[in-house]
Amino acid sequence: MKNIFAAFDLGGSYLKYGMGTADTLIQFDSRIAVESSDKQYLYSLFTQAFSDMKSHLSKDEIIAGACIGSPGTANSKTGKIEGVNPNLPEWTGANPVKALQSSWGIPIYLDNDANLMTYGEYSAYPKADSMLGITIGTGIGSGFVTRNQIFHGSTYSALEVGHTIVVKDGLLCNCGKKGCAEAYGSANSIIRVMSAKFPSLQKANIKDVLDKALVDKSMKVQLEHLLSLLAIAIANAVTILNPAILIIGGGVADIDSFPFSYLEKEILENLMIEHKRSLLINQAKYGNKAAILGGIILAETRNHYQKKYNIDSL
Ligand SMILES: [Zn+2]
């Protein structure tokens, strides 16, 4: 039988899922709309997605492991979701690993969604020393992979680049602090600030805002101001970590009218020459499926190590 690995990417609007291996990459994927952050409801959604994947297996394939990607602090050791989840408030305290592992009968791993996005993108550059991944979406996510390992920090909350402060006593952020990069550069923040300043943008979604800023000079100036603050946070993270590659992805960065080259220019302007010279900046190669791919590869890698050494080595 051939071992296939399943991955889930939970967000505020959709549960995306897919299966494959590090060799085949994503061989099947789909998504289900998320209508509540209730733990039992979300557990049942995961099981529905798992059944859908099983129904798409060939006769000689089995799902041998799964990885769940979640926003917020995802404790990979305990399987528990900790901290604050503004887009999925009731999800905090959930333990999808404990809740689902025995009924599914396979090992389940958990990690942060932006960590998995970075891990998925890193697989395209297997010789790279390190990669910093930034996702610009409803919020700002970030992950750091070095020598094929995700860096978690002592309490699984490392790489909160979006919650580094770029304006003293600035706008209130979802995390409770003031002046975080996320309070300026996330989709929700861009919409909030732009629609307050430009009445024609009231009720606009993020794509409308980005599209209109392409043709309206004063909107463009305001949008660039917001992105320049996000660029400071990203440049600070690059200055601290000195990654070989910086990947920028997420739902907002994927929109055609997103001014990627402006953000790139601003990041480079805030870097020292050594960092600037060595850094490769790219858009996410696997787009909004990068976290699924990262989850598939992580589940396969951890399964392999657990079988070989009978330990949890990553
Ligand atoms: Zn914050």
Side-chain angles (χ1 to χ4, degrees), residues 1-5 19-21 24-25 27-28 53-64:
M1 293 296 268
K2 189 179 173 212
N3 285 345
I4 302 293
F5 296 87
M19 62 180 185
T21 67
T24 66
L25 305 182
Q27 58 193 62
F28 167 77
M53 284 190 271
K54 282 203 291 191
S55 74
H56 284 84
L57 289 169
S58 340
K59 278 191 183 129
D60 62 339
E61 293 174 336
I62 52 158
I63 295 179

Side-chain angles (χ1 to χ4, degrees), residues 162-163 173 175 177 180:
H163 298 291
C173 180
C175 73
K177 298 195 299 173
C180 294

Side-chain angles (χ1 to χ4, degrees), residues 1-20:
M1 293 296 268
K2 189 179 173 212
N3 285 345
I4 302 293
F5 296 87
F8 303 84
D9 181 10
L10 177 64
S13 311
Y14 292 100
L15 171 65
K16 292 184 279 184
Y17 56 95
M19 62 180 185

Side-chain angles (χ1 to χ4, degrees), residues 162-165 172-183:
H163 298 291
T164 55
I165 292 173
L172 185 64
C173 180
N174 273 331
C175 73
K177 298 195 299 173
K178 283 182 177 171
C180 294
E182 181 167 304

Side-chain angles (χ1 to χ4, degrees), residues 71-214:
T73 300
N75 188 322
S76 345
K77 202 164 208 161
T78 61
K80 196 172 169 187
I81 309 299
E82 296 162 356
V84 193
N85 277 286
N87 299 314
L88 292 164
E90 294 168 63
W91 185 233
T92 299
N95 191 319
V97 174
K98 264 192 191 146
L100 304 169
Q101 196 160 239
S102 60
S103 62
W104 290 9
I106 54 167
I108 301 178
Y109 310 101
L110 175 78
D111 218 307
N112 168 273
D113 53 358
N115 283 349
L116 292 177
M117 168 274 193
T118 311
Y119 199 65
E121 290 290 327
Y122 183 86
S123 69
Y125 308 85
K127 289 186 180 151
D129 168 83
S130 50
M131 176 182 283
L132 170 65
I134 301 286
T135 62
I136 309 171
T138 316
I140 303 293
S142 33
F144 183 60
V145 172
T146 178
R147 297 176 194 169
N148 209 29
Q149 304 262 329
I150 295 171
F151 180 77
H152 290 108
S154 62
T155 62
Y156 294 86
S157 28
L159 273 298
E160 288 289 1
V161 175
H163 298 291
T164 55
I165 292 173
V166 290
V167 179
K168 185 170 163 53
D169 295 325
L171 295 178
L172 185 64
C173 180
N174 273 331
C175 73
K177 298 195 299 173
K178 283 182 177 171
C180 294
E182 181 167 304
Y184 298 89
S186 69
N188 286 354
S189 303
I190 291 172
I191 293 170
R192 194 183 314 119
V193 173
M194 298 287 284
S195 63
K197 187 147 187 175
F198 303 100
S200 67
L201 292 179
Q202 274 163 15
K203 294 189 183 163
N205 61 29
I206 186 66
K207 187 178 178 302
D208 297 335
V209 174
L210 297 179
D211 287 354
K212 286 187 177 157
L214 274 185

